[in-house]
Amino acid sequence: MTRIVTVGAAQLGPVQRDDDRRAVVDRLRVMLADAASQGCDLVVFPELALTTFFPRWYVDDITQADHFYETSMPNDATQPLFDEARDLEIGFCLGYALLETADDGSTHRWNVQTLVERDGSIVGTFKKVHIPGHESNEPGRPFQHLERYYFEPSPEGFGVWDAFGGRVGMMICNDRRWPESYRLMGLQGVELILCGYNTPLHYAPDPSQDPLQGFHNQLVMSSGAYQNGTFVVGVAKGGVEEGVDSLAESSIFGPSGELLARATTNDDELIVAECDLDWCGQYKNTLFDFARYRRPDVYGPLTAPPSN
């Protein structure tokens, strides 16, 4: 019996600061319906899909940005997306900012993705692990990248869930640049990795990397797919958002590392690929048979404390 999951990568164009959440959800619903008409089982939306990429602005009092965060999922604004997905019997993965109050009364701010099955049930929520950017105001930049001010890094790491007939993992934006992200999920038998991203085309600390943004984006996801025998779905929020131009190029990669589909615009666009999860075994059981070929006895420095 084959295990084919038809996946739609639902790239978003810009979401401006004043765009209403319900209007954004309506855009997501349009792509959800399009995906259902093309036989998709699962639709993947970008990182921070419901709002503009607000870490580009500094505020003295972080609570002034609380309106960019969700406090529950689903909520009034997103319930129509959940309802439509359940009616269409299609699952989805949604990236957003989460404001959470712990049992001890402490407040936590996370960058998350929530995976929803075809019956509308929540499979799991992943918190971003590798938080890039800077922690404090740097007014000399053309725009800020204050993710380390607005979000905590996940204390939970990378999980893998049984869903859509296979083993599904998640990561968010900068996580895709780190080989450990893929390998930790690979060690748990992952067959499908879902990744939303917002990637400015200008990188202030080293502008020489600017023309390489698309190359690096493809490089890390292709190699991560191949080295762990898994499908990887990378989905952008691209285009010029609040004056900042961001990478589009949403892509789906097979466990061979080959590109299966890629967006051709920087606006709302759906790309689709049939993902036969049994294909993963051709790599997991041969070149990347971890039980046979890995050498964890000599990998000690990977988990040693940083030297700097």
Side-chain angles (χ1 to χ4, degrees):
M1 179 179 177
T2 58
R3 295 181 299 137
I4 295 176
V5 182
T6 302
V7 179
Q11 176 176 288
L12 278 178
V15 175
Q16 308 300 348
R17 188 170 191 165
D18 294 332
D19 285 352
D20 178 74
R21 252 187 196 73
R22 293 181 186 277
V24 176
V25 169
D26 284 344
R27 288 167 61 185
L28 304 185
R29 292 173 62 194
V30 167
M31 286 194 284
L32 196 73
D34 186 10
S37 72
Q38 296 188 53
C40 288
D41 302 292
L42 169 64
V43 176
V44 186
F45 296 111
E47 174 191 31
L48 300 179
L50 300 174
T51 66
T52 197
F53 187 78
F54 61 88
R56 65 172 59 100
W57 297 293
Y58 177 75
V59 293
D60 290 315
D61 179 359
I62 197 171
T63 62
Q64 295 174 3
D66 282 356
H67 61 285
F68 288 117
Y69 295 79
E70 314 304 313
T71 56
S72 63
M73 188 58 63
N75 52 42
D76 288 345
T78 59
Q79 187 64 55
L81 180 67
F82 279 75
D83 293 343
E84 182 148 358
R86 185 179 60 252
D87 291 345
L88 294 171
E89 298 183 343
I90 186 172
F92 65 90
C93 183
L94 179 67
Y96 57 96
L98 176 65
L99 180 65
E100 188 174 59
T101 302
D103 292 339
D104 63 3
S106 59
T107 298
H108 300 275
R109 292 173 170 83
W110 312 106
N111 187 340
V112 306
Q113 283 183 179
T114 290
L115 179 63
V116 180
E117 255 286 8
R118 288 160 285 196
D119 62 359
S121 62
I122 290 178
V123 176
T125 295
F126 166 78
K127 301 179 176 109
K128 188 172 183 177
V129 173
H130 299 98
I131 308 295
H134 48 105
E135 298 90 344
S136 56
N137 190 21
E138 296 186 12
R141 289 175 176 247
F143 56 89
Q144 306 271 356
H145 199 125
L146 284 157
E147 285 195 61
R148 297 177 72 87
Y149 178 64
Y150 284 109
F151 300 117
E152 297 176 50
S154 171
E156 299 164 2
F158 295 94
V160 171
W161 292 265
D162 290 320
F164 299 91
R167 298 283 286 164
V168 182
M170 292 180 276
M171 59 185 180
I172 300 174
C173 198
N174 191 42
D175 290 329
R176 77 194 191 280
R177 303 188 187 277
W178 299 85
E180 294 88 350
S181 305
Y182 304 88
R183 182 48 48 91
L184 284 167
M185 288 185 273
L187 290 170
Q188 299 171 72
V190 75
E191 296 169 308
L192 178 61
I193 296 176
L194 315 177
C195 176
Y197 61 89
N198 283 254
T199 299
L201 289 174
H202 174 59
Y203 182 54
D206 180 14
S208 71
Q209 297 181 32
D210 292 1
L212 299 172
Q213 293 288 11
F215 168 68
H216 289 156
N217 180 55
Q218 302 285 307
L219 173 69
V220 292
M221 291 192 289
S222 173
S223 59
Y226 169 62
Q227 291 170 343
N228 295 278
T230 182
F231 289 89
V232 174
V233 182
V235 189
K237 177 143 63 66
V240 180
E241 184 180 272
E242 295 296 332
V244 178
D245 200 2
S246 290
L247 180 71
E249 297 188 13
S250 298
S251 302
I252 302 174
F253 296 90
S256 61
E258 293 172 284
L259 179 67
L260 304 181
R262 187 166 81 177
T264 58
T265 74
N266 59 3
D267 210 334
D268 292 10
E269 181 181 351
L270 180 74
I271 59 171
V272 176
E274 288 190 354
C275 301
D276 184 349
L277 302 184
D278 289 336
W279 187 12
C280 300
Q282 293 179 221
Y283 290 87
K284 291 180 183 296
N285 299 324
T286 58
L287 282 171
F288 298 112
D289 181 341
F290 291 162
R292 184 176 185 184
Y293 295 123
R294 284 184 76 244
R295 292 288 313 282
D297 54 309
V298 298
Y299 300 160
L302 288 176
T303 56
S307 58
N308 54 2

